[in-house]
Amino acid sequence: MTTRERILNEATRQLLELGYSAFTMVSVRDALGLSSGSMFHAFESKPALVAEIYVEGMRRYQSTAIEALTSTPDPVAAVESLVETHLCWVRDNRELARFLFSTQPDEVIDAAAPTLTDANTVFFSAVESVLDAAVEAGVMAPLPPGVGHSVLMGAVQEYCRQWTRGTTTVDPGDLVGVYQRVAVAAMRATLEPEHSNVRV
């Protein structure tokens, strides 16, 4: 394992345990027995280090989600697969999910932006492909870019956000069927007359 990988592993452990405010590069350096030179050669600042953890976490999630979205040509089944994958991923990665769902400081977002933009482009392209297939199949109305994902996943994301914070206790994995039905109902609800004026 390289020094950079060791730093990322230890920094991730400490960050998820302590939170951004209490997390320091010095504590990571000391835990690994590194010199300041080695530490700052690998990562120039705390925001840069946390940004890398954030981007890597998002990539891990998005990679799993893309596999779910591309697992079937049926858009309804793909959405159901995405919902199940999301819930189970959050259940299995609770601390990381809580971090990813939290509002990040501006300096972290700025440091993450160049690589995160590329990752988001790939992920949302996969989402939009499924939404296009859903429109073609007649189970969803066309929506402006970026709107469809929130329509499908808004409820499940909010539940997972609450669960990672401990404000609700039902295991996300026990709610797969509920949120699959919610997502599919949300798709079909866009076809209702009151939504018919929403177009790209």
Side-chain angles (χ1 to χ4, degrees), residues 133-190:
V135 171
E136 186 174 348
V139 295
M140 187 173 187
L143 297 170
V147 174
H149 182 260
S150 65
V151 167
L152 300 178
M153 300 297 290
V156 69
Q157 286 185 322
E158 178 57 27
Y159 180 80
C160 288
R161 188 175 291 110
Q162 292 182 29
W163 184 78
T164 61
R165 294 173 180 171
T167 57
T168 188
T169 58
V170 179
D171 188 308
D174 294 337
L175 297 171
V176 170
V178 171
Y179 283 109
Q180 284 177 331
R181 291 190 292 274
V182 168
V184 173
M187 292 172 69
R188 297 187 185 280
T190 64

Side-chain angles (χ1 to χ4, degrees), residues 79-157:
V79 167
E80 291 174 337
S81 180
L82 174 62
V83 169
E84 180 175 12
T85 295
H86 183 90
L87 287 163
C88 292
W89 191 90
V90 169
R91 177 198 62 200
D92 296 340
N93 300 273
R94 184 171 188 164
E95 301 304 320
L96 179 58
R98 183 172 67 236
F99 166 64
L100 295 177
F101 293 163
S102 299
T103 301
Q104 301 301 318
D106 289 345
E107 62 264 27
V108 173
I109 295 301
D110 290 344
T115 35
L116 189 59
T117 297
D118 292 340
N120 284 341
T121 297
V122 174
F123 173 66
F124 285 107
S125 176
V127 172
E128 291 298 327
S129 292
V130 170
L131 297 180
D132 289 344
V135 171
E136 186 174 348
V139 295
M140 187 173 187
L143 297 170
V147 174
H149 182 260
S150 65
V151 167
L152 300 178
M153 300 297 290
V156 69
Q157 286 185 322

Side-chain angles (χ1 to χ4, degrees), residues 43-62:
F43 294 97
E44 63 182 15
S45 66
K46 173 178 168 178
L49 175 53
V50 174
E52 180 130 356
I53 295 169
Y54 182 74
V55 170
E56 180 57 29
M58 289 301 300
R59 281 176 169 165
R60 284 174 54 190
Y61 166 75
Q62 290 177 344

